Amino acid sequence: FPSISMAEILQRKSVPLKNRICIVGPVEDANDLHVTPFGATLGVEIHAAALNTILTGRYLEQAPSGIHLILCLLGAYLAFWLATRAPDGILSITATVGLASYLGILLVGFALFDVLLPITGPLLVTLLVGSEAYVLRYLALVRSRRYVKGLLGRFVSPEVMKELLAKPENVQLGGRRHRITILFCDINNFTP
């Protein structure tokens, strides 16, 4: 909102006030600061913003009630899908991008369309479902690892099993063929 110094008005300088609404108040008074979602704001600016909202008719509106449910279900589905299928390295990046995208959608809805979309419900549902799915994925991995260890333990020594589990890319069914040289030696007259 444009502001004009009271000194300019009192000195009768050409100030365009005809057919305008004027709110008179302090501009730099620490006693008139009030906390708003956008930080500390002067009381005059708060009154001007409220008056502007009334005159323009641009009121904030709640999103339709079904949007809340749709956002919760969509967040739950995406979180479950990501937690069960995404590679571990990409999971945190994808979750961060998804969160930033959702917050961007909320900001656009607020700034451009004067619509308040739900924040906490969809985020909590997404977080809970994603965490639960990731824990289930981890438990399935532990179970399968335990099964593989039990199966390998029947056929190979513990040292070989550790090496196979440490480097699973070296495991091949059927083995491998290599040309090798073996030297059999004996100490003189030791064998008899």
Side-chain angles (χ1 to χ4, degrees):
F1 301 105
S3 62
I4 300 169
S5 169
M6 186 60 84
E8 290 179 37
I9 296 172
L10 292 176
Q11 292 173 0
R12 302 206 191 302
K13 290 188 177 177
S14 61
V15 180
L17 296 179
K18 189 173 183 178
N19 295 327
R20 305 266 176 137
I21 297 175
C22 297
I23 301 175
V24 179
V27 177
E28 294 181 14
D29 186 7
N31 293 327
D32 196 31
L33 286 176
H34 301 280
V35 178
T36 66
F38 301 104
T41 307
L42 288 168
V44 174
E45 292 178 0
I46 295 172
H47 290 290
L51 187 58
N52 182 49
T53 300
I54 293 169
L55 293 174
T56 59
R58 285 189 63 195
Y59 298 101
L60 289 176
E61 296 177 18
Q62 290 287 340
S65 58
I67 294 290
H68 191 270
L69 179 63
I70 289 170
L71 289 174
C72 286
L73 291 175
L74 182 65
Y77 174 75
L78 289 174
F80 183 80
W81 188 84
L82 278 174
T84 56
R85 290 187 176 84
D88 287 334
I90 297 175
L91 185 63
S92 61
I93 294 169
T94 310
T96 305
V97 168
L99 174 65
S101 300
Y102 182 66
L103 293 177
I105 290 169
L106 293 177
L107 183 63
V108 166
F110 175 74
L112 298 181
F113 302 108
D114 300 324
V115 175
L116 294 173
L117 293 167
I119 298 174
T120 52
L123 288 181
L124 283 176
V125 167
T126 303
L127 180 68
L128 290 174
V129 169
S131 299
E132 183 178 351
Y134 192 75
V135 166
L136 291 175
R137 176 181 173 177
Y138 176 76
L139 292 176
L141 180 68
V142 167
R143 246 184 277 123
S144 69
R145 201 158 238 257
R146 201 175 302 136
Y147 173 75
V148 168
K149 278 185 177 182
L151 190 64
L152 279 177
R154 291 190 223 161
F155 301 106
V156 297
S157 68
E159 294 82 20
V160 172
M161 182 173 57
K162 285 180 187 175
E163 186 173 331
L164 289 174
L165 291 175
K167 299 177 184 174
E169 64 275 359
N170 291 340
V171 177
Q172 295 177 356
L173 290 176
R176 287 183 264 173
R177 290 184 178 261
H178 288 285
R179 278 191 95 122
I180 61 171
T181 303
I182 298 176
L183 171 67
F184 290 97
C185 67
D186 190 9
I187 299 176
N188 201 11
N189 292 326
F190 181 77
T191 304

